[in-house]
Amino acid sequence: MGLLDVHSFAAGRWVSPDSSARSIENAVTGDVMARAGSALDVAEMLDYARTKGGPALRALGFHDRARMIKALALHLGEHKQALYDLSFATGATQSDHLIDIDGGIGTMFVFASKGRREMPDGQIYVDGDVEQLSRNGTFLGQHICTPLQGVAVHINAFNFPVWGMLEKLAPTLLAGVPAIVKPATATCYVTELAVKIMVESGILPDGALQLVSGGLGDMLDQLGHQDVVSFTGSADTAFKLRSAPHILKNSIRFVAEQDSLNASILGPDAVAGTPEFDLFVKEVQREMTTKAGQKCTAIRRIIAPEGQVDAVIAALSARLDKTVIGDPSAKDTRMGALVSNAQKRDVLEKAAIIADEAERVYGDPDAFDVSGADGQAGAFVPPMVFHCANPDTAVRVHDTEAFGPVSTIMGYRDLDHAISLVNKGEGSLVASVITHDADVARSVAMGAGAYHGRLYFNNRDSMNESTGHGSPLPHMVHGGPGRAGGGEEMGGVRGVMHYMQRTAIQGSPDILTAIGGQWVAGAEEKKGPAHPFTRTFNEVEIGETIHTEPRIVTMEDIEHFAEFTGDTFYGHMDDEAAARNPFFPGRVAHGYLLLSFAAGLFVEPNEGPVLANTGLNNLQFMKPVAAGDSIKVRLTVKKKTRRTDEYGEVRWHVTLTNQDDELVAEYELLTMNKY
């Protein structure tokens, strides 16, 4: 293979590297394999994103953008073999590719799904319930979220050139914001290929995605308050970038996910011979060797009961002995190389610092086997385990990270001591606890939760389906306090909100209905030309309402429903007992009888556009109904959401009132209606 020229994609053009380009080495051979970097017109890139990409994305609704993300994921999946083949040069094995490439594609699928299921079929996200700000309900408040009208600059780390891009890109695009992606130069050639695959698919609007292979120049100095910087990398680099005067002066959002001293605690109950002990050792070994330990979530500190430390070292050493280190493209290889020889030097330097406070009990960087590759030319290091006998007085084991297959074991006296040790990292992305004792889990959650972005508990009950200590999932937040950066990524819809502005809106019910795209109680009630159940999804309008005739509830109704259903609760059948109940005036109608009567009042029984009743949300009973009372129903079209090519979901606001117009019950009805 000749020297690769890694291009940038700027303002719709592919830009070749120039004389300022930096050389990139093959992690396995140490040979220079590529070059990247060029002087870019960053002002043009930012303008292209803001004036072309942003408006095009904002013109789409959340569901349209979700479909676009799904299409991108499917397209990437069709071309992932090319990404696999290229990624071996980063030192990653085939198993590592599944985390980076398949994991990134899977993350896009999750965001696409959540966009369709949890976000509206429109352009404004309604956040929370309506707040009544006036006595009679004519002046209301609500929160909405709208896309920022700038650009998201994504600065990614070298260890996951595909997942690291896609886990930021998916929520950004779903929010309706264009992105400029800047991968770490050491592995940017893999990111370039992924971007090229997406751009050439024709799925994305122009300006939605750009790529900087190499340095950003002064791009961050040209950002404004509508822009976002999302960063993954070291704490030192994050501090340098986020503390720049321009970033601070303009209150530019800076989302940081930083490397941290993540830890795993072996519960006091998980002694040698238990499933939890074996699981703990397996988790540690996997986290040390996956991606050659180059994971921001890898286990750096192993915290075990003092009486179990020797057993853990012996068991972990036995598992690590089976780790084949070498050519990552070979099927038998279990751990490949670090990303570069520069990274190898850094890891060995950090390991030497840790060695000032801890004894190396496994692994010798000067004597280890490498299969199918030159161990001196390539960026290979062996797994190394250190033992810290005095973790209370030690400092470096809690603040120095060797970003490779290096971990330190330390003993704890009791659970409070374990919690104290795990918190000495001053904030991490994840801490795990392997225990079968629920009280231990709760104590750690209470004592350590504030220090960690994620707590991962595992034991014999969950281990067969668990996803692993080091696997951040798109459904859950990824980030952490303190050293971990103080930010969050992913977390489902929470991750989308980083690229949107939350705004409080205040006004009349009609104004809130028009803005949010869903009917608010008190807004105009529209009368349709026919019963709404006879009108298609496209024909019914938000606010379309019917009021039914009243129905009297009799004692015969109550007793028949009780006998027919078997619900003979005393409040419906025992006069004396019901009278003693402070909530009832005596025997009352069943709540579900009222719902059945309500359906009978508003349903149009003939075949029509309504295909199915699929749910009933937020049911509340406000006032009991006694024999002789009457009920009537108001049914209003609250919200419409397209679901498939054939039908959509209609949400109906339903209220039941009695003969005195007092509210008896309220709920949201869901139906699927043909277009």
Side-chain angles (χ1 to χ4, degrees), residues 553-575:
V553 179
T554 68
M555 186 59 72
E556 289 77 15
D557 293 330
I558 297 171
E559 292 182 346
H560 173 74
F561 190 83
E563 295 300 328
F564 182 72
T565 63
D567 181 358
T568 56
F569 181 65
Y570 73 86
H572 312 305
M573 301 299 289
D574 187 326
D575 288 302

Side-chain angles (χ1 to χ4, degrees), residues 80-104:
K80 63 185 179 182
Q81 186 60 51
L83 292 167
Y84 291 164
D85 295 341
L86 188 58
S87 292
F88 286 122
T90 70
T93 66
Q94 182 62 40
S95 295
D96 296 334
H97 299 342
L98 298 181
I99 299 171
D100 182 31
I101 297 164
D102 292 73

Side-chain angles (χ1 to χ4, degrees), residues 81-164:
Q81 186 60 51
L83 292 167
Y84 291 164
D85 295 341
L86 188 58
S87 292
F88 286 122
T90 70
T93 66
Q94 182 62 40
S95 295
D96 296 334
H97 299 342
L98 298 181
I99 299 171
D100 182 31
I101 297 164
D102 292 73
I105 294 170
T107 294
M108 296 191 83
F109 278 124
V110 170
F111 274 101
S113 175
K114 285 189 169 289
R116 293 289 304 277
R117 291 186 292 108
E118 299 178 20
M119 303 191 81
D121 187 13
Q123 296 161 316
I124 292 177
Y125 180 80
V126 176
D127 183 17
D129 296 329
V130 171
E131 300 287 346
Q132 185 157 326
L133 306 178
S134 60
R135 177 176 295 180
N136 296 319
T138 60
F139 185 67
L140 306 172
Q142 194 163 40
H143 292 92
I144 63 169
C145 296
T146 53
L148 292 173
Q149 296 184 21
V151 58
V153 178
H154 296 166
I155 304 173
N156 297 324
F158 64 76
N159 51 342
F160 290 107
V162 177
W163 177 87

Side-chain angles (χ1 to χ4, degrees), residues 9-28:
F9 185 65
R13 304 183 303 274
W14 289 100
V15 181
S16 301
D18 59 21
S19 59
S20 66
R22 174 181 146 190
S23 296
I24 302 171
E25 69 180 48
N26 184 304
V28 181

